[in-house]
Amino acid sequence: MSAIPTSSGPVRRGGLDLGHWLETAAAWLLAIIWAAPLLYAVWAAFHPTGYAARFELTAPLTLSNFVAAWHAAPFPRYFLNTVLLVTFVTGAQFVLCTLAAFVFARSRSRWMGLLFALVLVQLMIMPDMLIVENYRTMRALGLVDTIFAIGLPYVASGFGIFLLRQTFMQVPKELEDAARVEGCGTWAILWKVYVPLARPTYLAYGLTSVAYHWNNFLWPLVITNTVNTRPLTVGLAVFASTDQGIDWAIISAATLLTAAPLLLSFLLFQRQFVQSFMRAGIR
């Protein structure tokens, strides 16, 4: 007698699984809620003021709102200030975090664990809690109302040090030993061995840092007083204040101008953005 074959696999039910359908519907609902403000801003920015709250498919399109917003406020200066800010902060963070992470990853000192724990304490402290002390420090240094003062409190990042340290610790010790045999010193080993292997981590952290400081608002609002130093977020808030008059079409156009670089960067480099975080070990 031949054995009757049996199947130990899961029994498939006909039709759609109710739980899966509910999860999909909830995901779409959350996506629509998240995207609703952006979709409204796009609608209002590309239509005349009279159609900002009238959703008619036959409404005329226009670019005059962007022209009006660009000339109503010094947005070129705001863009320049923001680019200088994120370049300074991200560059300084790369240098300082790389040096600190390398020391924490390869030093055998018994004090490294304690020092690294003190660095991680920074992750538990919200930056807004230090605004008063940071302002006092910048005033004592004579740096109030400067781009340097906006970025100085952020040049040492506990998150960046932690992320790079974890990446450096995964580099095989044999590669460092082989580089030393070839005659490389400590600086050459860091530059030629550790930094190239950590490129996905640098990309992931760089994207996060640029997005955060591009959108940072409270500290730049406190430390800046003039147009010459205001970044885009503060400039947009001043532009959208009641003193300028409330025209939602023009305000929406100004908002899109402010967010456009980040939105375009994400749409163009979406795959690289996700892959860099996955390779960096962030889930």
Coordinates of all heavy atoms in Angstrom, one line a residue, residues 21-82:
W21 N -7.0 43.2 4.8 CA -7.7 44.3 4.2 C -7.8 45.5 5.1 O -7.7 46.6 4.7 CB -9.1 43.8 3.8 CG -9.9 44.8 3.1 CD1 -10.0 45.0 1.7 CD2 -10.8 45.8 3.6 NE1 -10.8 46.0 1.4 CE2 -11.4 46.5 2.5 CE3 -11.2 46.1 4.9 CZ2 -12.2 47.6 2.7 CZ3 -12.1 47.1 5.1 CH2 -12.6 47.9 4.1
L22 N -8.0 45.2 6.4 CA -8.1 46.3 7.3 C -6.8 47.0 7.5 O -6.7 48.3 7.6 CB -8.6 45.8 8.7 CG -10.0 45.3 8.8 CD1 -10.3 44.7 10.2 CD2 -11.0 46.5 8.5
E23 N -5.7 46.3 7.5 CA -4.4 46.9 7.6 C -4.1 47.8 6.4 O -3.6 48.9 6.5 CB -3.3 45.8 7.7 CG -3.3 45.1 9.0 CD -2.2 44.1 9.1 OE1 -1.5 43.9 8.1 OE2 -2.1 43.4 10.1
T24 N -4.5 47.3 5.2 CA -4.3 48.1 3.9 C -5.1 49.3 4.0 O -4.6 50.4 3.6 CB -4.6 47.2 2.7 OG1 -3.8 46.0 2.7 CG2 -4.3 48.0 1.4
A25 N -6.4 49.2 4.4 CA -7.2 50.4 4.4 C -6.7 51.4 5.4 O -6.7 52.6 5.2 CB -8.7 49.9 4.8
A26 N -6.2 50.9 6.6 CA -5.7 51.9 7.6 C -4.5 52.6 7.1 O -4.3 53.8 7.3 CB -5.4 51.1 8.9
A27 N -3.6 51.8 6.4 CA -2.4 52.4 5.8 C -2.7 53.5 4.8 O -2.1 54.6 4.8 CB -1.5 51.4 5.2
W28 N -3.7 53.2 3.9 CA -4.1 54.3 3.0 C -4.7 55.5 3.7 O -4.5 56.6 3.2 CB -5.1 53.6 2.0 CG -4.4 52.9 0.8 CD1 -4.3 51.6 0.7 CD2 -3.8 53.6 -0.3 NE1 -3.6 51.3 -0.5 CE2 -3.3 52.5 -1.1 CE3 -3.6 54.9 -0.7 CZ2 -2.6 52.8 -2.3 CZ3 -2.9 55.2 -1.9 CH2 -2.5 54.1 -2.7
L29 N -5.5 55.2 4.7 CA -6.2 56.3 5.4 C -5.1 57.2 6.1 O -5.2 58.5 6.0 CB -7.1 55.8 6.5 CG -7.8 56.8 7.4 CD1 -8.7 57.7 6.5 CD2 -8.7 56.1 8.4
L30 N -4.1 56.6 6.7 CA -3.0 57.4 7.3 C -2.2 58.2 6.3 O -1.8 59.3 6.5 CB -2.1 56.5 8.1 CG -2.7 55.9 9.4 CD1 -1.8 54.9 10.1 CD2 -3.1 57.0 10.4
A31 N -2.0 57.5 5.1 CA -1.3 58.2 4.1 C -2.0 59.4 3.5 O -1.4 60.5 3.3 CB -1.0 57.2 2.9
I32 N -3.3 59.3 3.4 CA -4.1 60.4 2.9 C -4.2 61.5 3.9 O -4.0 62.7 3.6 CB -5.6 59.9 2.6 CG1 -5.5 58.9 1.4 CG2 -6.5 61.1 2.3 CD1 -6.9 58.3 1.1
I33 N -4.3 61.2 5.2 CA -4.3 62.2 6.2 C -3.0 62.9 6.3 O -2.9 64.2 6.4 CB -4.6 61.6 7.6 CG1 -6.0 61.1 7.6 CG2 -4.4 62.6 8.7 CD1 -6.4 60.3 8.9
W34 N -1.8 62.2 6.1 CA -0.5 62.8 6.1 C -0.3 63.7 4.9 O 0.3 64.8 5.0 CB 0.5 61.7 6.1 CG 1.9 62.2 6.1 CD1 2.7 62.6 7.2 CD2 2.7 62.4 4.9 NE1 3.9 63.1 6.7 CE2 4.0 63.0 5.4 CE3 2.5 62.3 3.6 CZ2 5.0 63.3 4.5 CZ3 3.5 62.6 2.7 CH2 4.8 63.1 3.1
A35 N -0.8 63.3 3.7 CA -0.6 64.0 2.5 C -1.6 65.1 2.3 O -1.3 66.0 1.4 CB -0.6 63.0 1.3
A36 N -2.6 65.2 3.0 CA -3.7 66.2 2.8 C -3.1 67.6 2.9 O -3.4 68.4 2.0 CB -4.8 66.0 3.8
P37 N -2.4 68.0 3.9 CA -1.9 69.4 3.9 C -1.0 69.7 2.7 O -1.0 70.8 2.1 CB -1.1 69.5 5.2 CG -1.6 68.4 6.1 CD -2.0 67.3 5.1
L38 N -0.1 68.7 2.3 CA 0.7 69.0 1.1 C -0.1 69.1 -0.2 O 0.2 70.0 -1.0 CB 1.7 67.8 1.0 CG 2.7 67.9 -0.2 CD1 3.5 69.1 -0.2 CD2 3.5 66.6 -0.3
L39 N -1.1 68.2 -0.3 CA -2.0 68.3 -1.5 C -2.7 69.6 -1.5 O -2.9 70.2 -2.6 CB -3.0 67.1 -1.5 CG -2.4 65.7 -1.6 CD1 -3.4 64.7 -1.5 CD2 -1.6 65.6 -2.9
Y40 N -3.2 70.1 -0.4 CA -3.9 71.4 -0.4 C -2.9 72.5 -0.7 O -3.3 73.5 -1.5 CB -4.5 71.7 1.0 CG -5.0 73.1 1.1 CD1 -6.2 73.5 0.5 CD2 -4.3 74.1 1.8 CE1 -6.7 74.8 0.6 CE2 -4.7 75.4 1.8 CZ -5.9 75.7 1.3 OH -6.4 77.0 1.3
A41 N -1.7 72.5 -0.2 CA -0.7 73.5 -0.6 C -0.4 73.5 -2.1 O -0.3 74.6 -2.7 CB 0.6 73.3 0.2
V42 N -0.3 72.4 -2.7 CA -0.1 72.3 -4.1 C -1.3 72.9 -4.9 O -1.1 73.7 -5.8 CB 0.2 70.8 -4.5 CG1 0.2 70.7 -6.1 CG2 1.5 70.3 -3.9
W43 N -2.5 72.5 -4.4 CA -3.7 73.1 -5.1 C -3.7 74.6 -5.0 O -3.9 75.3 -6.0 CB -4.9 72.5 -4.5 CG -6.2 73.1 -5.0 CD1 -6.8 74.2 -4.4 CD2 -7.0 72.8 -6.1 NE1 -8.0 74.6 -5.1 CE2 -8.1 73.7 -6.2 CE3 -6.9 71.8 -7.1 CZ2 -9.0 73.6 -7.2 CZ3 -7.8 71.7 -8.1 CH2 -8.9 72.6 -8.1
A44 N -3.6 75.1 -3.8 CA -3.7 76.6 -3.6 C -2.6 77.3 -4.3 O -2.8 78.4 -4.8 CB -3.7 76.9 -2.1
A45 N -1.3 76.7 -4.3 CA -0.2 77.4 -4.9 C -0.4 77.6 -6.4 O 0.1 78.6 -7.0 CB 1.1 76.7 -4.6
F46 N -1.0 76.6 -7.1 CA -1.1 76.7 -8.5 C -2.4 77.2 -9.1 O -2.7 77.1 -10.3 CB -0.8 75.2 -9.1 CG 0.6 74.8 -9.1 CD1 1.1 74.1 -8.0 CD2 1.5 75.2 -10.1 CE1 2.4 73.7 -8.0 CE2 2.8 74.8 -10.0 CZ 3.3 74.1 -9.0
H47 N -3.2 77.8 -8.2 CA -4.5 78.3 -8.6 C -4.6 79.8 -8.1 O -4.0 80.1 -7.0 CB -5.7 77.5 -8.1 CG -5.8 76.1 -8.8 ND1 -5.0 75.0 -8.3 CD2 -6.4 75.7 -9.8 CE1 -5.3 74.0 -9.1 NE2 -6.2 74.4 -10.0
P48 N -5.4 80.6 -8.7 CA -5.7 82.0 -8.2 C -6.2 82.0 -6.8 O -6.8 80.9 -6.3 CB -6.7 82.5 -9.2 CG -6.5 81.7 -10.4 CD -6.2 80.3 -10.0
T49 N -6.1 83.1 -6.1 CA -6.6 83.2 -4.7 C -8.0 82.8 -4.5 O -8.4 82.2 -3.6 CB -6.3 84.6 -4.2 OG1 -4.9 85.0 -4.4 CG2 -6.7 84.8 -2.8
G50 N -8.9 83.2 -5.5 CA -10.3 82.9 -5.4 C -10.6 81.4 -5.4 O -11.7 81.0 -5.0
Y51 N -9.7 80.6 -5.8 CA -9.9 79.1 -5.9 C -9.1 78.4 -4.8 O -9.1 77.1 -4.9 CB -9.5 78.6 -7.3 CG -10.4 79.0 -8.4 CD1 -10.1 80.2 -9.1 CD2 -11.5 78.3 -8.7 CE1 -10.9 80.7 -10.1 CE2 -12.4 78.8 -9.8 CZ -12.1 79.9 -10.5 OH -12.9 80.3 -11.5
A52 N -8.5 79.1 -3.9 CA -7.8 78.4 -2.8 C -8.6 77.5 -2.0 O -8.1 76.4 -1.5 CB -7.1 79.4 -1.9
A53 N -9.9 77.8 -1.8 CA -10.8 77.0 -1.0 C -11.9 76.4 -1.9 O -12.9 75.9 -1.3 CB -11.4 77.7 0.2
R54 N -11.8 76.6 -3.2 CA -12.9 76.1 -4.1 C -12.2 75.0 -5.0 O -11.4 75.3 -5.9 CB -13.4 77.2 -5.0 CG -14.2 78.2 -4.2 CD -14.5 79.5 -5.0 NE -15.1 79.1 -6.3 CZ -15.2 80.0 -7.3 NH1 -14.8 81.3 -7.2 NH2 -15.8 79.6 -8.4
F55 N -12.6 73.8 -4.8 CA -11.9 72.7 -5.5 C -12.7 72.3 -6.7 O -13.6 71.4 -6.7 CB -11.8 71.5 -4.5 CG -11.0 71.8 -3.3 CD1 -11.7 72.0 -2.1 CD2 -9.7 71.9 -3.3 CE1 -11.0 72.3 -0.9 CE2 -9.0 72.2 -2.1 CZ -9.7 72.4 -0.9
E56 N -12.5 73.1 -7.8 CA -13.1 72.9 -9.0 C -12.1 72.4 -10.0 O -11.0 73.0 -10.2 CB -13.8 74.2 -9.5 CG -14.8 74.7 -8.6 CD -15.5 76.0 -9.1 OE1 -15.1 76.4 -10.2 OE2 -16.3 76.6 -8.4
L57 N -12.4 71.3 -10.7 CA -11.5 70.7 -11.7 C -11.2 71.7 -12.8 O -10.2 71.6 -13.5 CB -12.1 69.4 -12.2 CG -12.2 68.3 -11.1 CD1 -12.8 67.0 -11.8 CD2 -10.9 68.0 -10.5
T58 N -12.1 72.6 -13.1 CA -11.9 73.5 -14.3 C -11.3 74.8 -13.8 O -11.2 75.7 -14.6 CB -13.3 73.8 -14.9 OG1 -14.2 74.4 -13.9 CG2 -13.9 72.6 -15.5
A59 N -10.8 74.9 -12.6 CA -10.1 76.1 -12.1 C -8.9 76.4 -12.9 O -8.1 75.4 -13.2 CB -9.8 76.0 -10.6
P60 N -8.6 77.6 -13.3 CA -7.4 77.9 -14.1 C -6.1 77.8 -13.3 O -6.1 78.0 -12.0 CB -7.6 79.4 -14.4 CG -8.5 80.0 -13.4 CD -9.4 78.8 -13.0
L61 N -5.1 77.4 -13.9 CA -3.8 77.2 -13.3 C -3.0 78.5 -13.5 O -3.1 79.3 -14.5 CB -3.0 76.1 -13.9 CG -3.7 74.7 -13.8 CD1 -2.9 73.6 -14.5 CD2 -3.8 74.3 -12.3
T62 N -2.1 78.8 -12.6 CA -1.3 80.0 -12.6 C 0.0 79.8 -11.8 O 0.1 79.0 -10.9 CB -2.0 81.2 -12.0 OG1 -1.2 82.3 -12.1 CG2 -2.4 81.0 -10.6
L63 N 1.1 80.5 -12.3 CA 2.4 80.5 -11.6 C 2.6 81.9 -10.9 O 3.7 82.1 -10.3 CB 3.5 80.2 -12.5 CG 3.5 78.8 -13.1 CD1 4.7 78.7 -14.1 CD2 3.6 77.7 -12.0
S64 N 1.6 82.7 -11.0 CA 1.8 84.1 -10.4 C 2.0 84.1 -8.9 O 2.6 85.0 -8.4 CB 0.6 85.0 -10.8 OG -0.6 84.4 -10.2
N65 N 1.4 83.1 -8.2 CA 1.6 83.0 -6.8 C 3.1 82.8 -6.4 O 3.6 83.4 -5.4 CB 0.8 81.9 -6.2 CG -0.7 82.1 -6.4 OD1 -1.2 83.2 -6.3 ND2 -1.4 81.0 -6.6
F66 N 3.8 82.0 -7.2 CA 5.2 81.8 -6.9 C 6.0 83.1 -7.2 O 6.9 83.4 -6.4 CB 5.8 80.7 -7.8 CG 5.2 79.3 -7.4 CD1 4.1 78.8 -8.0 CD2 5.8 78.6 -6.4 CE1 3.6 77.6 -7.7 CE2 5.3 77.3 -6.0 CZ 4.2 76.8 -6.7
V67 N 5.7 83.8 -8.2 CA 6.3 85.0 -8.6 C 6.1 86.1 -7.5 O 7.0 86.8 -7.0 CB 5.9 85.6 -9.9 CG1 6.5 86.9 -10.3 CG2 6.2 84.5 -11.0
A68 N 4.8 86.2 -7.0 CA 4.5 87.1 -6.0 C 5.2 86.8 -4.7 O 5.7 87.7 -4.0 CB 3.0 87.2 -5.8
A69 N 5.3 85.5 -4.3 CA 5.9 85.1 -3.1 C 7.4 85.4 -3.2 O 8.1 85.8 -2.2 CB 5.7 83.6 -2.8
W70 N 8.0 85.1 -4.3 CA 9.5 85.3 -4.5 C 9.9 86.8 -4.3 O 10.9 87.1 -3.8 CB 9.9 84.7 -5.8 CG 11.4 84.7 -6.0 CD1 12.1 85.7 -6.7 CD2 12.3 83.7 -5.6 NE1 13.5 85.3 -6.7 CE2 13.6 84.1 -6.0 CE3 12.2 82.6 -4.9 CZ2 14.8 83.4 -5.8 CZ3 13.3 81.8 -4.6 CH2 14.6 82.2 -5.0
H71 N 9.0 87.7 -4.8 CA 9.3 89.1 -4.8 C 8.8 89.8 -3.5 O 9.2 90.9 -3.2 CB 8.7 89.8 -6.0 CG 9.4 89.4 -7.3 ND1 10.7 89.8 -7.6 CD2 9.0 88.7 -8.3 CE1 11.0 89.3 -8.8 NE2 10.0 88.6 -9.3
A72 N 8.0 89.1 -2.7 CA 7.4 89.7 -1.5 C 8.3 89.6 -0.3 O 8.2 90.3 0.7 CB 6.1 89.1 -1.2
A73 N 9.3 88.7 -0.4 CA 10.2 88.5 0.7 C 11.6 88.1 0.1 O 11.7 87.6 -1.0 CB 9.7 87.4 1.6
P74 N 12.7 88.3 0.9 CA 14.0 88.0 0.3 C 14.3 86.6 0.4 O 15.3 86.1 1.1 CB 14.9 88.8 1.3 CG 14.2 88.9 2.6 CD 12.7 89.0 2.2
F75 N 13.6 85.8 -0.4 CA 13.8 84.3 -0.4 C 15.2 83.9 -0.9 O 15.8 82.9 -0.4 CB 12.7 83.6 -1.1 CG 11.5 83.4 -0.3 CD1 10.4 84.2 -0.5 CD2 11.4 82.4 0.6 CE1 9.2 84.0 0.2 CE2 10.2 82.2 1.3 CZ 9.2 83.0 1.2
P76 N 15.8 84.6 -1.9 CA 17.1 84.2 -2.3 C 18.1 84.3 -1.1 O 19.0 83.4 -0.9 CB 17.5 85.3 -3.3 CG 16.2 85.7 -3.9 CD 15.2 85.7 -2.8
R77 N 18.0 85.3 -0.2 CA 18.9 85.4 0.9 C 18.6 84.3 1.9 O 19.5 83.7 2.5 CB 18.7 86.8 1.6 CG 19.6 87.0 2.8 CD 21.1 87.0 2.4 NE 22.0 87.0 3.5 CZ 23.3 87.1 3.4 NH1 23.8 87.4 2.2 NH2 24.0 87.1 4.5
Y78 N 17.3 84.0 2.1 CA 16.9 82.9 3.0 C 17.5 81.6 2.5 O 18.0 80.8 3.3 CB 15.4 82.8 3.1 CG 14.7 84.0 3.8 CD1 13.4 84.3 3.5 CD2 15.4 84.8 4.7 CE1 12.7 85.4 4.1 CE2 14.8 85.9 5.3 CZ 13.5 86.1 5.0 OH 12.8 87.2 5.6
F79 N 17.4 81.3 1.2 CA 18.0 80.1 0.7 C 19.5 80.0 0.9 O 20.0 79.0 1.3 CB 17.6 80.0 -0.8 CG 16.3 79.3 -1.1 CD1 15.2 80.0 -1.4 CD2 16.3 77.9 -1.1 CE1 14.0 79.4 -1.7 CE2 15.1 77.2 -1.4 CZ 14.0 78.0 -1.7
L80 N 20.2 81.1 0.6 CA 21.6 81.1 0.8 C 22.0 80.9 2.3 O 22.9 80.1 2.6 CB 22.2 82.5 0.4 CG 23.7 82.7 0.6 CD1 24.5 81.7 -0.2 CD2 24.1 84.1 0.2
N81 N 21.3 81.5 3.2 CA 21.5 81.3 4.6 C 21.3 79.8 5.0 O 22.1 79.3 5.8 CB 20.6 82.2 5.5 CG 21.0 83.7 5.3 OD1 22.0 84.0 4.9 ND2 20.0 84.5 5.7
T82 N 20.3 79.2 4.5 CA 20.0 77.8 4.8 C 21.0 76.9 4.3 O 21.4 76.0 5.0 CB 18.6 77.5 4.3 OG1 17.6 78.4 4.9 CG2 18.2 76.1 4.8

